Amino acid sequence: VSEPLTIDINGSDGATLPLEISSSNEILRQKWSRNIEFLLSCIALSVGFGNVWRFPYTAMENGGGTFLMAYLIVLFLIGRPIYYLEMIVGQLSSRGCVKVYDMCPLMRGVGVGQTLTMVIIVGYYAVILAIAVRYFVLSFEPVLPWSVCQPGWDCISSSLINTNITSDTTKQSASLYFTKTITNQSDDLSSGIGTPDWKLAVCLLVCWVAITALTMRGIRSSGKASYFLALFPYVILAILMCRAVTLDGSSEGLKKLFIPQWEKLYTIEVWYAAITQCFFSLTVGLGAVIVFSSFNNFSHNIYRDAMIISWVDTFSSLLSGVIVFGVVGHLAHVTGKPFEKLMANGTTLIFEVYPEVIAKMNFYPNVFAVLFFLMFILLGLGSNMGIVTTILTSVKDRFPNAKTWKVVLGIAIYGFSCGLVYISPGGLHVLGIVDYYGVTFPTLILVILEVITFCWLYGVNRICLDVKLMLGIETGIFWKVSWRFVSLIFLITMVIMQIVEAKELKVPFGYKIFAWGLFSFTMLQVFGWAIHAAVQQPEKTMGSKIVKILAWGLFSFTMLQVIGWAIYAAVQQPEKTMGSKIVGAMKPTADWGPESDNLKRNYDVEVRQLNNTIDNETDLKSRLRRTFLM
């Protein structure tokens, strides 16, 4: 085996040369130019749309302060440990989210499923960014166009400040401007999705040109962009927060954020909401954290970074919550409407509620409109870079000689093409279905399989050994218990309880979630029962049934990657019997470990010593202690 020439010059600023060069002329994995770029890139990835539009609404819907308590507990017990776990396996192996399953080839389908989930996300994430770009451009007009009613609209101008306006049927101009002018949104999908809006198409093209430029050279370019994309949004958030808390009525909104409703603390919905918000906010279970960590140097202090990133993400969510609750409290004050009726989720909050509040400001509303949508654009660019980098890395791991710019260009063309569907009149309805069946539901299942693979099949003992070799520290009992038991128990319990208390989904065609339990029997049954579910629904039109079949088919295609790749890994094993092949596929591949040949040899010695220690422990007490506590 040739000895690698490792060039690793660490200065006071953490700078390193971007590549390691083997004496056999093999170019090893690209590395971050500076350690700080990894930290900032992870912050830019994690702090995105979910912090601004999902966290505030989820907090309001689940008891305000009660949800905050549940969220912090979940972050401490589950979110942060799994985030740290993904960093460990990524940095140790220098592999992406598919190749990392060399530790257990039987479960490679989990990584494939995570990559497919990212492929689905990249198809619609830039669409929200494009709408924000359109609003950003409109914010420079002398009069904000959404602040006044357009001819033919039966509405109330959002610029009017009148506490006597309490009608629930008459809409504000900001709401109609989004649904009629910006998206031309249809009521449902009964007449198809329609034709894409050309102005949004131009904005979408601009977004993808920017994303392509930022990721064209891989982490060399995206790492540099992270300095601005991760830090500058906080300057804008600070300005917006100062304005939000000084608005009349904002204090009433903030009370709803921080004062708990204790009776909700004992409901399963609050804890389920806390777990899903924590996972999607931290971007856990999607493979991106593994990918970013794979570009680290072998001994980089990921423990410190995991703590910093998890708390920064939480702080960002709280900061966004203060801003949103403050402005919605002000809106309730000036309109006389209940706070709960004004608080909204997703695009409604960002493109209807917040523009309405800005329209009512008597102090430079255009300035605050520009600042808000600029902040939103920067957050979206940071997250989009992470999504593209995750897909890019999966492709490059499989095809190392592929040109980075060609792969990025292919992703951009695909993302733009998919985006044209979502900027059509029926596009947001399609987005809701795709997001749930293609992203939210599969991710919850995939993260359970990920934890099982890392902590049970690969083993917590090996994880602790990996940490010791990389960081030179012993792993505490808290992390071992959380990885082995707490995280998995919480995740499985939440999924089971959600199945038991399944309610009708709030989507255009309305269908019940009764097929969740099918995954427990076999992946192959999912598609068949999805068709059965569609046929059994009360809708009479074939179009509605086709939509349901496609929705479940999308979920099934993602989930089937797990069992398909497991079979493939088992078949590839050299053993003769199927049982031996399965056991062999559950073990790491021969090249699993650090990418440096020198580190790999030392790593193999440590692993053999660990295995010998386990084999020499014959008494039951020692084996149980090592299995469950060490």
Side-chain angles (χ1 to χ4, degrees):
V1 180
S2 59
E3 183 73 11
L5 174 63
T6 302
I7 307 175
D8 187 357
I9 304 174
N10 288 301
S12 59
D13 59 354
T16 62
L17 289 180
L19 294 175
E20 292 180 353
I21 304 176
S22 171
S23 58
S24 61
N25 296 324
E26 177 188 5
I27 298 179
L28 301 182
R29 198 175 194 81
Q30 197 176 37
K31 302 295 182 184
W32 299 103
S33 298
R34 296 177 183 273
N35 292 334
I36 189 66
E37 292 181 5
F38 166 69
L39 179 66
L40 294 178
S41 295
C42 285
I43 291 174
L45 169 71
S46 297
V47 181
F49 294 160
N51 300 78
V52 179
W53 76 17
R54 184 175 181 178
F55 182 88
Y57 178 80
T58 305
M60 185 277 296
E61 198 175 42
N62 292 278
T66 304
F67 173 78
L68 294 183
M69 294 174 59
Y71 181 82
L72 292 175
I73 292 173
V74 167
L75 175 71
F76 181 74
L77 294 178
I78 307 176
R80 192 168 62 177
I82 296 181
Y83 195 88
Y84 180 38
L85 177 66
E86 291 190 344
M87 281 189 170
I88 292 170
V89 297
Q91 178 167 302
L92 171 85
S93 63
S94 297
R95 290 163 166 85
C97 59
V98 176
K99 190 69 174 172
V100 77
Y101 285 91
D102 283 349
M103 69 163 62
C104 183
L106 187 71
M107 302 299 287
R108 195 182 305 279
V110 177
V112 176
Q114 291 173 334
T115 303
L116 286 174
T117 300
M118 280 298 203
V119 170
I120 294 171
I121 294 174
V122 82
Y124 66 74
Y125 206 85
V127 170
I128 309 302
L129 188 60
I131 298 175
V133 170
R134 176 85 190 277
Y135 270 91
F136 176 74
V137 174
L138 293 171
S139 299
F140 288 94
E141 295 189 7
V143 178
L144 295 175
W146 61 81
S147 63
V148 294
C149 292
Q150 303 296 318
W153 289 2
D154 180 17
C155 68
I156 301 170
S157 293
S158 294
S159 58
L160 296 178
I161 302 176
N162 188 341
T163 56
N164 294 322
I165 298 175
T166 58
S167 174
D168 291 329
T169 57
T170 304
K171 291 189 175 182
Q172 298 282 337
S173 59
S175 177
L176 291 180
Y177 192 81
F178 174 69
T179 57
K180 290 183 175 293
T181 302
I182 298 295
T183 62
N184 192 26
Q185 188 173 340
S186 60
D187 294 332
D188 52 43
L189 294 172
S190 59
S191 58
I193 62 173
T195 305
D197 180 83
W198 73 268
K199 293 180 181 178
L200 283 180
V202 172
C203 294
L204 182 63
L205 180 62
V206 170
C207 292
W208 273 112
V209 169
I211 296 168
T212 303
L214 291 173
T215 55
M216 184 67 74
R217 299 177 62 219
I219 62 170
R220 290 184 180 180
S221 55
S222 64
K224 299 297 183 294
S226 66
Y227 288 94
F228 181 73
L229 295 176
L231 297 177
F232 189 71
Y234 288 99
V235 177
I236 303 178
L237 282 170
I239 296 173
L240 294 175
M241 185 194 69
C242 292
R243 180 55 178 155
V245 298
T246 57
L247 292 170
D248 294 336
S250 62
S251 59
E252 294 301 317
L254 294 177
K255 288 180 182 178
K256 294 184 179 296
L257 174 62
F258 292 107
I259 296 178
Q261 300 176 24
W262 296 107
E263 67 278 4
K264 288 193 173 185
L265 189 62
Y266 305 101
T267 61
I268 191 65
E269 289 82 7
V270 171
W271 293 96
Y272 179 77
I275 290 177
T276 54
Q277 175 62 34
C278 182
F279 274 39
F280 286 105
S281 181
L282 287 172
T283 325
V284 169
L286 294 171
V289 178
I290 296 174
V291 166
F292 276 27
S293 302
S294 71
F295 300 117
N296 281 336
N297 292 305
F298 185 74
S299 59
H300 179 72
N301 191 349
I302 49 175
Y303 178 83
R304 174 200 61 200
D305 287 354
M307 302 305 105
I308 293 174
I309 295 166
S310 60
W311 285 121
V312 168
D313 181 77
T314 302
F315 169 76
S316 304
S317 296
L318 290 174
L319 187 59
S320 300
V322 169
I323 294 171
V324 172
F325 274 74
V327 298
V328 176
H330 169 70
L331 186 59
H333 173 75
V334 299
T335 62
K337 292 183 178 180
F339 180 91
E340 290 74 14
K341 289 188 176 182
L342 294 172
M343 178 63 84
N345 191 16
T347 55
T348 303
L349 174 64
I350 301 302
F351 301 119
E352 296 184 35
V353 175
Y354 205 93
E356 182 178 347
V357 175
I358 294 175
K360 295 183 186 300
M361 292 182 178
N362 53 15
F363 180 73
Y364 297 112
N366 293 72
V367 173
F368 287 99
V370 169
L371 288 175
F372 176 76
F373 289 112
L374 176 60
M375 177 268 298
F376 199 73
I377 290 170
L378 295 178
L379 293 178
L381 282 175
S383 298
N384 262 295
M385 284 197 318
I387 296 169
V388 172
T389 301
T390 302
I391 301 172
L392 168 66
T393 304
S394 296
V395 175
K396 291 279 288 181
D397 281 351
R398 180 64 181 85
F399 305 101
N401 295 325
K403 297 292 185 181
T404 299
W405 70 268
K406 291 183 179 180
V407 179
V408 171
L409 185 60
I411 296 172
I413 294 173
Y414 161 80
F416 177 77
S417 302
C418 291
L420 294 177
V421 174
Y422 300 117
I423 60 175
S424 303
L428 292 182
H429 298 303
V430 177
L431 192 154
I433 297 172
V434 171
D435 179 64
Y436 182 78
Y437 285 95
V439 178
T440 304
F441 185 19
T443 299
L444 291 175
I445 306 299
L446 290 172
V447 75
I448 292 176
L449 296 175
E450 178 187 273
V451 173
I452 292 173
T453 303
F454 292 169
C455 300
W456 286 90
L457 300 182
Y458 182 65
V460 171
N461 293 334
R462 287 287 295 269
I463 294 292
C464 295
L465 173 64
D466 297 342
V467 172
K468 186 175 182 180
L469 291 176
M470 289 190 296
L471 308 182
I473 61 176
E474 297 289 346
T475 303
I477 188 68
F478 165 77
W479 300 101
K480 297 176 183 178
V481 173
S482 178
W483 289 334
R484 196 185 292 273
F485 299 113
V486 178
S487 298
L488 202 56
I489 291 173
F490 260 82
L491 289 170
I492 294 177
T493 302
M494 290 301 103
V495 172
I496 292 175
M497 292 303 296
Q498 185 65 15
I499 296 173
V500 173
E501 299 190 9
K503 297 179 180 179
E504 187 174 351
L505 288 176
K506 296 179 180 179
V507 292
F509 296 104
Y511 33 79
K512 299 179 180 179
I513 313 172
F514 65 89
W516 289 68
L518 300 178
F519 182 82
S520 304
F521 298 100
T522 172
M523 296 288 185
L524 293 175
Q525 289 184 328
V526 175
F527 186 73
W529 279 99
I531 297 177
H532 174 74
V535 174
Q536 295 298 315
Q537 294 301 310
E539 288 81 2
K540 297 180 180 180
T541 64
M542 181 57 65
S544 62
K545 294 182 179 180
I546 292 176
V547 168
K548 296 176 187 303
I549 293 173
L550 292 176
W552 281 106
L554 180 62
F555 164 73
S556 302
F557 179 69
T558 304
M559 288 292 99
L560 284 173
Q561 301 303 315
V562 177
I563 191 169
W565 283 93
I567 295 173
Y568 175 79
V571 171
Q572 294 298 311
Q573 298 302 310
E575 288 80 1
K576 296 182 178 180
T577 66
M578 181 54 66
S580 300
K581 287 179 177 291
I582 294 175
V583 172
M586 295 171 65
K587 298 178 180 179
T589 57
D591 65 342
W592 167 257
E595 62 175 343
S596 167
D597 291 341
N598 189 34
L599 290 172
K600 178 66 168 61
R601 284 195 293 271
N602 295 333
Y603 178 74
D604 289 341
V605 171
E606 295 289 344
V607 171
R608 284 195 294 269
Q609 291 178 353
L610 174 65
N611 291 335
N612 291 335
T613 301
I614 295 175
D615 292 339
N616 291 332
E617 291 177 346
T618 57
D619 63 293
L620 180 61
K621 182 178 180 181
S622 298
R623 284 186 172 273
L624 289 176
R625 181 174 179 272
R626 177 170 292 276
T627 300
F628 294 106
L629 297 179
M630 296 183 64

